[in-house]
Amino acid sequence: MSSSQRPTALLVDFDGVLRTFDASINAKIEQRYGLEPGTVLETALEWDRLLPAITGRITRAEWLATVADTLADRVGGPQRAAELMDEWVVYPGAIDPQVLRFVRDVRAAGHPVAVATNSTAEFRDVLESFGLTDEFDAVANSAELGVHKPAKEYFAAACALLATPPSRCMLVDDIDRMIRGARAAGLTAYRYEPGDDLSYPRRAFGLPSAA
């Protein structure tokens, strides 16, 4: 990749890339309530339920309340469902140190970085809870932008936050649909998998491999 083709700005996904989850932790909670592991997340991510939350039309609490309402009959009533959700949301996940180092190295090389996420309006509180507020030059949160990944309008807005044209921005994401959408919007995009050493995006930004 020649220097004229290299990306000069980075968009990095949050959940599934920068933040990881041990699915077994919430699975144990779900099993105590008589649910199959993954049921709460699957319910939460149902598109008609998720879309209002990630485009800023309802709050995170309102979104999760709809999950509790949906599961109430399966777990013994509204009170039990509320207790389930109270337990389920406690586990915050963990920040992948290798991905965070990549973000820091990209910024140290003089390239702006935005966290690019489909999330609720409270997402900046999540960044603050992990001490990540100052790790990014911009936050491209769908709830703030009013449009979600992988819409072309989302990527246009995200790149604008970094004052960089899409052709010089790279997205790192773990979902194929997001990768395809980014490429259709004119970005370069790299599909991340757990444990990835990020050697390709490092080369794309002219960075040395991680030690």
Side-chain angles (χ1 to χ4, degrees):
M1 181 179 292
S2 70
S3 60
S4 63
Q5 297 173 315
R6 291 188 190 279
T8 59
L10 172 67
L11 303 176
V12 60
D13 182 40
F14 192 68
D15 286 337
V17 179
L18 189 56
R19 176 165 68 170
T20 61
F21 292 95
D22 179 348
S24 68
I25 292 177
N26 279 337
K28 293 175 183 176
I29 296 171
E30 291 169 309
Q31 288 172 328
R32 289 206 309 272
Y33 285 81
L35 298 175
E36 288 293 321
T39 298
V40 175
L41 183 61
E42 180 180 331
T43 304
L45 296 182
E46 290 173 354
W47 189 240
D48 288 345
R49 185 190 319 283
L50 179 65
L51 183 59
I54 64 171
T55 51
R57 300 201 297 273
I58 63 174
T59 66
R60 181 175 185 270
E62 290 169 333
W63 168 49
L64 295 177
T66 71
V67 178
D69 289 343
T70 300
L71 296 176
D73 289 344
R74 298 172 61 180
V75 299
Q79 181 60 38
R80 284 279 289 170
E83 292 169 358
L84 163 63
M85 296 308 298
D86 285 345
E87 290 189 56
W88 189 81
V89 299
V90 168
Y91 172 51
I95 300 302
D96 187 314
Q98 185 159 258
V99 178
L100 182 56
R101 179 181 173 185
F102 170 61
V103 167
R104 289 172 172 171
D105 288 350
V106 171
R107 293 186 78 204
H111 305 296
V113 179
V115 57
T117 183
N118 284 341
S119 191
T120 65
E122 298 82 1
F123 177 69
R124 290 178 187 265
D125 294 338
V126 176
L127 288 181
E128 184 176 358
S129 72
F130 282 108
L132 297 175
T133 300
D134 297 327
E135 298 286 357
F136 302 98
D137 300 286
V139 175
N141 177 12
S142 60
E144 295 180 8
L145 298 177
V147 63
H148 58 85
K149 288 188 295 182
K152 184 175 182 179
E153 294 82 3
Y154 171 89
F155 288 115
C159 294
L161 290 174
L162 297 178
T164 306
S167 62
R168 302 307 296 271
C169 288
M170 171 180 278
L171 171 73
V172 175
D173 205 295
D174 64 319
I175 299 176
D176 278 335
R177 184 166 57 93
M178 306 307 178
I179 298 299
R180 294 194 302 269
R183 289 172 178 164
L187 291 75
T188 57
Y190 177 76
R191 169 75 186 276
Y192 175 85
E193 295 184 0
D196 197 322
D197 65 4
L198 297 165
S199 58
Y200 177 82
R202 280 184 166 276
R203 290 195 301 272
F205 281 97
L207 301 174
S209 298

